[in-house]
Amino acid sequence: MTRQNLLMLMPGLMIPLLLSAGLLLAHGEKDTHESDSTKNMPSAPIESGVAARQDSLFAVINTEYNGLKPIFEKSCFDCHSKFTKFPWYHKIPGIKQLIDSDIKEGRKHLDLSDGFPFASHASLPETLEDMKEQVSKGEMPLLSYRLIHWGTGLSGARRDSVTSWLDSAKIRVIRFYDEANIPYEQKKSED
């Protein structure tokens, strides 16, 4: 068997192996939150004037997000949105269930489908901080995903643009919530 033939066979052999390993490592901790992904808005009702200012802030942040959206679409949307582009091997029994399970888990933690503010199980500032941490550390997208979907990793200018925007959005949201005296911390469940 020539080297070229071997290289052509490798992706087909590695896909099931990598998917299985990635799914086992992807979500080691169980989510104890009861709710599905919901818009992580402040828990207390806010006055109409404050709500209008919040809508205005979110519109500005969402406009900035739209400038970065192609990066999110390439690196995040397959697992964290309703716009998943399924690969050909999604039709294979067993692999289909693994992929569907991973996507369901990913969207439970973070759903980017409807723009900013993102749907999440945490408060908005916590969500933005978690996203920044995971992108900065190279934890997202998952290694198993990056190995199968080349070019989806976030590094260099793409990573810096995303983390800078996440940090800026978090700072502005916290500043607004603090000035408007709006509670934003997610209540921790007692286990």
Side-chain angles (χ1 to χ4, degrees):
M1 178 172 279
T2 68
R3 183 173 187 246
Q4 186 175 9
N5 289 345
L6 184 60
L7 288 175
M8 288 174 49
L9 285 174
M10 277 181 51
L13 297 173
M14 293 195 59
I15 289 170
L17 182 64
L18 290 172
L19 279 172
S20 299
L23 290 171
L24 290 173
L25 298 173
H27 297 287
E29 67 182 56
K30 294 196 181 214
D31 186 12
T32 57
H33 298 281
E34 295 175 8
S35 63
D36 269 340
S37 295
T38 57
K39 287 289 187 180
N40 47 28
M41 305 299 280
S43 55
I46 56 178
E47 300 173 15
S48 63
V50 174
R53 290 195 340 258
Q54 175 179 275
D55 290 346
S56 177
L57 172 65
F58 287 176
V60 169
I61 295 172
N62 198 49
T63 299
E64 294 167 357
Y65 163 70
N66 285 333
L68 296 170
K69 194 171 182 179
I71 296 172
F72 283 89
E73 288 172 337
K74 183 173 187 172
S75 299
C76 312
F77 269 38
D78 278 350
C79 295
H80 294 284
S81 81
K82 61 186 175 190
F83 306 111
T84 303
K85 294 178 184 166
F86 292 103
W88 64 267
Y89 49 85
H90 178 258
K91 296 177 182 176
I92 299 172
I95 292 178
K96 177 184 180 357
Q97 287 77 7
L98 291 172
I99 292 172
D100 290 347
S101 173
D102 201 33
I103 291 170
K104 182 179 178 183
E105 184 73 18
R107 285 186 61 197
K108 182 168 49 170
H109 289 281
L110 175 68
D111 190 343
L112 305 171
S113 299
D114 298 322
F116 188 86
F118 307 126
S120 173
H121 64 274
S123 72
L124 184 53
E126 288 171 329
T127 298
L128 294 168
E129 181 61 28
D130 288 348
M131 290 173 70
K132 180 186 165 202
E133 254 182 60
Q134 291 184 1
V135 168
S136 296
K137 291 178 180 178
E139 295 172 358
M140 284 291 162
L142 296 173
L143 178 60
S144 59
Y145 182 83
R146 292 188 315 245
L147 289 172
I148 298 170
H149 302 90
W150 292 9
T152 59
L154 291 171
S155 60
R158 292 175 60 218
R159 181 193 58 227
D160 294 344
S161 296
V162 169
T163 56
S164 176
W165 174 79
L166 288 165
D167 199 40
S168 171
K170 183 187 90 172
I171 290 168
R172 287 184 285 167
V173 167
I174 289 175
R175 184 181 306 134
F176 173 77
Y177 284 178
D178 288 345
E179 288 172 2
N181 201 22
I182 299 172
Y184 54 83
E185 291 301 322
Q186 188 79 10
K187 292 182 180 174
K188 305 292 180 192
S189 62
E190 295 179 23
D191 295 323

PDB file of all heavy atoms in Angstrom, residues 27 37 76 78-81 99-112 119-121 140 142:
ATOM      1  N   HIS A  27     -17.604  16.614  27.966  1.00  0.00           N
ATOM      2  CA  HIS A  27     -18.415  17.148  29.054  1.00  0.00           C
ATOM      3  C   HIS A  27     -18.347  16.219  30.251  1.00  0.00           C
ATOM      4  O   HIS A  27     -19.292  15.488  30.536  1.00  0.00           O
ATOM      5  CB  HIS A  27     -19.862  17.345  28.604  1.00  0.00           C
ATOM      6  CG  HIS A  27     -19.973  18.341  27.505  1.00  0.00           C
ATOM      7  ND1 HIS A  27     -19.823  19.676  27.714  1.00  0.00           N
ATOM      8  CD2 HIS A  27     -20.150  18.188  26.177  1.00  0.00           C
ATOM      9  CE1 HIS A  27     -19.938  20.309  26.553  1.00  0.00           C
ATOM     10  NE2 HIS A  27     -20.133  19.433  25.610  1.00  0.00           N
ATOM     11  N   SER A  37     -31.704  26.021  27.807  1.00  0.00           N
ATOM     12  CA  SER A  37     -31.124  27.317  27.495  1.00  0.00           C
ATOM     13  C   SER A  37     -32.220  28.363  27.429  1.00  0.00           C
ATOM     14  O   SER A  37     -33.204  28.218  26.731  1.00  0.00           O
ATOM     15  CB  SER A  37     -30.409  27.250  26.145  1.00  0.00           C
ATOM     16  OG  SER A  37     -29.320  26.372  26.216  1.00  0.00           O
ATOM     17  N   CYS A  76     -18.049  27.715  16.151  1.00  0.00           N
ATOM     18  CA  CYS A  76     -18.943  27.449  17.282  1.00  0.00           C
ATOM     19  C   CYS A  76     -20.339  26.957  16.906  1.00  0.00           C
ATOM     20  O   CYS A  76     -20.971  26.229  17.672  1.00  0.00           O
ATOM     21  CB  CYS A  76     -19.108  28.725  18.123  1.00  0.00           C
ATOM     22  SG  CYS A  76     -17.573  29.563  18.544  1.00  0.00           S
ATOM     23  N   ASP A  78     -21.744  24.814  14.886  1.00  0.00           N
ATOM     24  CA  ASP A  78     -22.144  23.424  14.708  1.00  0.00           C
ATOM     25  C   ASP A  78     -22.618  22.788  16.014  1.00  0.00           C
ATOM     26  O   ASP A  78     -23.498  21.935  15.998  1.00  0.00           O
ATOM     27  CB  ASP A  78     -21.012  22.590  14.104  1.00  0.00           C
ATOM     28  CG  ASP A  78     -20.932  22.732  12.589  1.00  0.00           C
ATOM     29  OD1 ASP A  78     -21.853  23.321  11.991  1.00  0.00           O
ATOM     30  OD2 ASP A  78     -19.940  22.254  12.009  1.00  0.00           O
ATOM     31  N   CYS A  79     -22.059  23.197  17.136  1.00  0.00           N
ATOM     32  CA  CYS A  79     -22.460  22.626  18.435  1.00  0.00           C
ATOM     33  C   CYS A  79     -23.288  23.584  19.288  1.00  0.00           C
ATOM     34  O   CYS A  79     -23.963  23.155  20.214  1.00  0.00           O
ATOM     35  CB  CYS A  79     -21.227  22.210  19.232  1.00  0.00           C
ATOM     36  SG  CYS A  79     -20.295  20.873  18.483  1.00  0.00           S
ATOM     37  N   HIS A  80     -23.217  24.873  19.002  1.00  0.00           N
ATOM     38  CA  HIS A  80     -23.861  25.854  19.871  1.00  0.00           C
ATOM     39  C   HIS A  80     -24.897  26.715  19.139  1.00  0.00           C
ATOM     40  O   HIS A  80     -25.071  27.889  19.470  1.00  0.00           O
ATOM     41  CB  HIS A  80     -22.801  26.758  20.519  1.00  0.00           C
ATOM     42  CG  HIS A  80     -21.895  26.035  21.461  1.00  0.00           C
ATOM     43  ND1 HIS A  80     -22.297  25.655  22.715  1.00  0.00           N
ATOM     44  CD2 HIS A  80     -20.618  25.599  21.323  1.00  0.00           C
ATOM     45  CE1 HIS A  80     -21.297  25.037  23.321  1.00  0.00           C
ATOM     46  NE2 HIS A  80     -20.269  24.974  22.499  1.00  0.00           N
ATOM     47  N   SER A  81     -25.581  26.141  18.163  1.00  0.00           N
ATOM     48  CA  SER A  81     -26.661  26.865  17.492  1.00  0.00           C
ATOM     49  C   SER A  81     -27.590  25.868  16.805  1.00  0.00           C
ATOM     50  O   SER A  81     -27.282  24.686  16.697  1.00  0.00           O
ATOM     51  CB  SER A  81     -26.114  27.853  16.457  1.00  0.00           C
ATOM     52  OG  SER A  81     -25.797  27.194  15.247  1.00  0.00           O
ATOM     53  N   ILE A  99     -23.070  12.366  17.824  1.00  0.00           N
ATOM     54  CA  ILE A  99     -23.035  13.761  17.389  1.00  0.00           C
ATOM     55  C   ILE A  99     -24.258  14.503  17.930  1.00  0.00           C
ATOM     56  O   ILE A  99     -24.132  15.616  18.471  1.00  0.00           O
ATOM     57  CB  ILE A  99     -22.968  13.866  15.848  1.00  0.00           C
ATOM     58  CG1 ILE A  99     -21.615  13.349  15.343  1.00  0.00           C
ATOM     59  CG2 ILE A  99     -23.195  15.304  15.387  1.00  0.00           C
ATOM     60  CD1 ILE A  99     -21.526  13.229  13.838  1.00  0.00           C
ATOM     61  N   ASP A 100     -25.437  13.911  17.791  1.00  0.00           N
ATOM     62  CA  ASP A 100     -26.666  14.553  18.279  1.00  0.00           C
ATOM     63  C   ASP A 100     -26.601  14.816  19.780  1.00  0.00           C
ATOM     64  O   ASP A 100     -27.018  15.876  20.252  1.00  0.00           O
ATOM     65  CB  ASP A 100     -27.885  13.703  17.947  1.00  0.00           C
ATOM     66  CG  ASP A 100     -28.212  13.680  16.467  1.00  0.00           C
ATOM     67  OD1 ASP A 100     -27.661  14.513  15.711  1.00  0.00           O
ATOM     68  OD2 ASP A 100     -29.021  12.818  16.054  1.00  0.00           O
ATOM     69  N   SER A 101     -26.051  13.882  20.530  1.00  0.00           N
ATOM     70  CA  SER A 101     -25.922  14.031  21.979  1.00  0.00           C
ATOM     71  C   SER A 101     -24.969  15.174  22.321  1.00  0.00           C
ATOM     72  O   SER A 101     -25.242  15.983  23.213  1.00  0.00           O
ATOM     73  CB  SER A 101     -25.423  12.724  22.597  1.00  0.00           C
ATOM     74  OG  SER A 101     -25.133  12.889  23.954  1.00  0.00           O
ATOM     75  N   ASP A 102     -23.853  15.264  21.603  1.00  0.00           N
ATOM     76  CA  ASP A 102     -22.878  16.326  21.855  1.00  0.00           C
ATOM     77  C   ASP A 102     -23.463  17.696  21.539  1.00  0.00           C
ATOM     78  O   ASP A 102     -23.257  18.660  22.277  1.00  0.00           O
ATOM     79  CB  ASP A 102     -21.613  16.069  21.037  1.00  0.00           C
ATOM     80  CG  ASP A 102     -20.405  16.785  21.608  1.00  0.00           C
ATOM     81  OD1 ASP A 102     -20.328  16.946  22.842  1.00  0.00           O
ATOM     82  OD2 ASP A 102     -19.525  17.174  20.815  1.00  0.00           O
ATOM     83  N   ILE A 103     -24.217  17.780  20.446  1.00  0.00           N
ATOM     84  CA  ILE A 103     -24.840  19.049  20.065  1.00  0.00           C
ATOM     85  C   ILE A 103     -25.890  19.457  21.098  1.00  0.00           C
ATOM     86  O   ILE A 103     -25.955  20.619  21.504  1.00  0.00           O
ATOM     87  CB  ILE A 103     -25.450  18.961  18.649  1.00  0.00           C
ATOM     88  CG1 ILE A 103     -24.327  18.854  17.614  1.00  0.00           C
ATOM     89  CG2 ILE A 103     -26.357  20.157  18.358  1.00  0.00           C
ATOM     90  CD1 ILE A 103     -24.801  18.518  16.222  1.00  0.00           C
ATOM     91  N   LYS A 104     -26.682  18.512  21.545  1.00  0.00           N
ATOM     92  CA  LYS A 104     -27.696  18.799  22.561  1.00  0.00           C
ATOM     93  C   LYS A 104     -27.040  19.334  23.832  1.00  0.00           C
ATOM     94  O   LYS A 104     -27.496  20.323  24.411  1.00  0.00           O
ATOM     95  CB  LYS A 104     -28.510  17.536  22.867  1.00  0.00           C
ATOM     96  CG  LYS A 104     -29.620  17.760  23.871  1.00  0.00           C
ATOM     97  CD  LYS A 104     -30.397  16.473  24.107  1.00  0.00           C
ATOM     98  CE  LYS A 104     -31.483  16.699  25.152  1.00  0.00           C
ATOM     99  NZ  LYS A 104     -32.203  15.461  25.459  1.00  0.00           N
ATOM    100  N   GLU A 105     -25.962  18.704  24.243  1.00  0.00           N
ATOM    101  CA  GLU A 105     -25.224  19.142  25.434  1.00  0.00           C
ATOM    102  C   GLU A 105     -24.616  20.530  25.223  1.00  0.00           C
ATOM    103  O   GLU A 105     -24.675  21.391  26.093  1.00  0.00           O
ATOM    104  CB  GLU A 105     -24.133  18.118  25.767  1.00  0.00           C
ATOM    105  CG  GLU A 105     -23.372  18.405  27.026  1.00  0.00           C
ATOM    106  CD  GLU A 105     -24.175  18.147  28.281  1.00  0.00           C
ATOM    107  OE1 GLU A 105     -25.190  17.435  28.233  1.00  0.00           O
ATOM    108  OE2 GLU A 105     -23.773  18.674  29.329  1.00  0.00           O
ATOM    109  N   GLY A 106     -24.035  20.753  24.059  1.00  0.00           N
ATOM    110  CA  GLY A 106     -23.433  22.052  23.759  1.00  0.00           C
ATOM    111  C   GLY A 106     -24.447  23.176  23.782  1.00  0.00           C
ATOM    112  O   GLY A 106     -24.196  24.248  24.348  1.00  0.00           O
ATOM    113  N   ARG A 107     -25.618  22.931  23.185  1.00  0.00           N
ATOM    114  CA  ARG A 107     -26.659  23.973  23.155  1.00  0.00           C
ATOM    115  C   ARG A 107     -27.287  24.190  24.520  1.00  0.00           C
ATOM    116  O   ARG A 107     -27.807  25.273  24.792  1.00  0.00           O
ATOM    117  CB  ARG A 107     -27.725  23.616  22.122  1.00  0.00           C
ATOM    118  CG  ARG A 107     -27.193  23.856  20.705  1.00  0.00           C
ATOM    119  CD  ARG A 107     -28.226  23.669  19.653  1.00  0.00           C
ATOM    120  NE  ARG A 107     -29.343  24.578  19.798  1.00  0.00           N
ATOM    121  CZ  ARG A 107     -30.512  24.402  19.209  1.00  0.00           C
ATOM    122  NH1 ARG A 107     -30.701  23.349  18.445  1.00  0.00           N
ATOM    123  NH2 ARG A 107     -31.475  25.255  19.382  1.00  0.00           N
ATOM    124  N   LYS A 108     -27.254  23.184  25.389  1.00  0.00           N
ATOM    125  CA  LYS A 108     -27.786  23.361  26.741  1.00  0.00           C
ATOM    126  C   LYS A 108     -26.918  24.364  27.509  1.00  0.00           C
ATOM    127  O   LYS A 108     -27.429  25.170  28.274  1.00  0.00           O
ATOM    128  CB  LYS A 108     -27.831  22.023  27.474  1.00  0.00           C
ATOM    129  CG  LYS A 108     -28.414  22.129  28.869  1.00  0.00           C
ATOM    130  CD  LYS A 108     -28.736  20.806  29.520  1.00  0.00           C
ATOM    131  CE  LYS A 108     -27.662  19.792  29.482  1.00  0.00           C
ATOM    132  NZ  LYS A 108     -27.927  18.615  30.319  1.00  0.00           N
ATOM    133  N   HIS A 109     -25.618  24.328  27.261  1.00  0.00           N
ATOM    134  CA  HIS A 109     -24.701  25.239  27.944  1.00  0.00           C
ATOM    135  C   HIS A 109     -24.665  26.620  27.308  1.00  0.00           C
ATOM    136  O   HIS A 109     -24.534  27.626  28.003  1.00  0.00           O
ATOM    137  CB  HIS A 109     -23.291  24.649  27.971  1.00  0.00           C
ATOM    138  CG  HIS A 109     -23.161  23.489  28.890  1.00  0.00           C
ATOM    139  ND1 HIS A 109     -23.041  23.625  30.245  1.00  0.00           N
ATOM    140  CD2 HIS A 109     -23.158  22.165  28.642  1.00  0.00           C
ATOM    141  CE1 HIS A 109     -22.962  22.432  30.801  1.00  0.00           C
ATOM    142  NE2 HIS A 109     -23.039  21.527  29.848  1.00  0.00           N
ATOM    143  N   LEU A 110     -24.762  26.671  25.981  1.00  0.00           N
ATOM    144  CA  LEU A 110     -24.657  27.942  25.268  1.00  0.00           C
ATOM    145  C   LEU A 110     -25.322  27.793  23.909  1.00  0.00           C
ATOM    146  O   LEU A 110     -25.004  26.872  23.160  1.00  0.00           O
ATOM    147  CB  LEU A 110     -23.187  28.330  25.076  1.00  0.00           C
ATOM    148  CG  LEU A 110     -22.914  29.584  24.251  1.00  0.00           C
ATOM    149  CD1 LEU A 110     -23.402  30.833  24.984  1.00  0.00           C
ATOM    150  CD2 LEU A 110     -21.428  29.696  23.944  1.00  0.00           C
ATOM    151  N   ASP A 111     -26.232  28.728  23.601  1.00  0.00           N
ATOM    152  CA  ASP A 111     -26.899  28.714  22.302  1.00  0.00           C
ATOM    153  C   ASP A 111     -26.735  30.080  21.660  1.00  0.00           C
ATOM    154  O   ASP A 111     -27.233  31.089  22.162  1.00  0.00           O
ATOM    155  CB  ASP A 111     -28.384  28.362  22.462  1.00  0.00           C
ATOM    156  CG  ASP A 111     -29.075  28.098  21.135  1.00  0.00           C
ATOM    157  OD1 ASP A 111     -28.535  28.491  20.078  1.00  0.00           O
ATOM    158  OD2 ASP A 111     -30.164  27.504  21.157  1.00  0.00           O
ATOM    159  N   LEU A 112     -26.021  30.113  20.543  1.00  0.00           N
ATOM    160  CA  LEU A 112     -25.723  31.357  19.836  1.00  0.00           C
ATOM    161  C   LEU A 112     -26.736  31.664  18.730  1.00  0.00           C
ATOM    162  O   LEU A 112     -26.571  32.638  18.004  1.00  0.00           O
ATOM    163  CB  LEU A 112     -24.319  31.261  19.215  1.00  0.00           C
ATOM    164  CG  LEU A 112     -23.166  30.928  20.157  1.00  0.00           C
ATOM    165  CD1 LEU A 112     -21.897  30.649  19.361  1.00  0.00           C
ATOM    166  CD2 LEU A 112     -22.940  32.042  21.151  1.00  0.00           C
ATOM    167  N   ALA A 119     -28.308  32.682  24.757  1.00  0.00           N
ATOM    168  CA  ALA A 119     -29.043  31.828  25.685  1.00  0.00           C
ATOM    169  C   ALA A 119     -28.023  30.942  26.404  1.00  0.00           C
ATOM    170  O   ALA A 119     -27.122  30.393  25.775  1.00  0.00           O
ATOM    171  CB  ALA A 119     -30.047  30.966  24.931  1.00  0.00           C
ATOM    172  N   SER A 120     -28.177  30.844  27.715  1.00  0.00           N
ATOM    173  CA  SER A 120     -27.230  30.080  28.514  1.00  0.00           C
ATOM    174  C   SER A 120     -27.848  29.689  29.835  1.00  0.00           C
ATOM    175  O   SER A 120     -28.868  30.245  30.243  1.00  0.00           O
ATOM    176  CB  SER A 120     -25.975  30.930  28.755  1.00  0.00           C
ATOM    177  OG  SER A 120     -25.089  30.302  29.646  1.00  0.00           O
ATOM    178  N   HIS A 121     -27.197  28.755  30.528  1.00  0.00           N
ATOM    179  CA  HIS A 121     -27.653  28.340  31.844  1.00  0.00           C
ATOM    180  C   HIS A 121     -27.093  29.245  32.943  1.00  0.00           C
ATOM    181  O   HIS A 121     -27.444  29.091  34.097  1.00  0.00           O
ATOM    182  CB  HIS A 121     -27.262  26.875  32.105  1.00  0.00           C
ATOM    183  CG  HIS A 121     -25.785  26.651  32.148  1.00  0.00           C
ATOM    184  ND1 HIS A 121     -25.052  26.424  31.009  1.00  0.00           N
ATOM    185  CD2 HIS A 121     -24.917  26.645  33.173  1.00  0.00           C
ATOM    186  CE1 HIS A 121     -23.777  26.281  31.351  1.00  0.00           C
ATOM    187  NE2 HIS A 121     -23.667  26.411  32.649  1.00  0.00           N
ATOM    188  N   MET A 140     -12.129  25.567  23.563  1.00  0.00           N
ATOM    189  CA  MET A 140     -13.213  25.604  22.591  1.00  0.00           C
ATOM    190  C   MET A 140     -12.682  26.229  21.314  1.00  0.00           C
ATOM    191  O   MET A 140     -11.958  27.209  21.379  1.00  0.00           O
ATOM    192  CB  MET A 140     -14.405  26.422  23.094  1.00  0.00           C
ATOM    193  CG  MET A 140     -15.256  25.730  24.117  1.00  0.00           C
ATOM    194  SD  MET A 140     -16.151  24.372  23.359  1.00  0.00           S
ATOM    195  CE  MET A 140     -16.590  23.433  24.800  1.00  0.00           C
ATOM    196  N   LEU A 142     -13.708  22.186  20.834  1.00  0.00           N
ATOM    197  CA  LEU A 142     -13.075  20.989  21.376  1.00  0.00           C
ATOM    198  C   LEU A 142     -12.005  20.452  20.420  1.00  0.00           C
ATOM    199  O   LEU A 142     -12.146  20.550  19.201  1.00  0.00           O
ATOM    200  CB  LEU A 142     -14.127  19.899  21.606  1.00  0.00           C
ATOM    201  CG  LEU A 142     -15.208  20.195  22.627  1.00  0.00           C
ATOM    202  CD1 LEU A 142     -16.267  19.100  22.606  1.00  0.00           C
ATOM    203  CD2 LEU A 142     -14.604  20.333  24.012  1.00  0.00           C
TER     204      LEU A 142
END
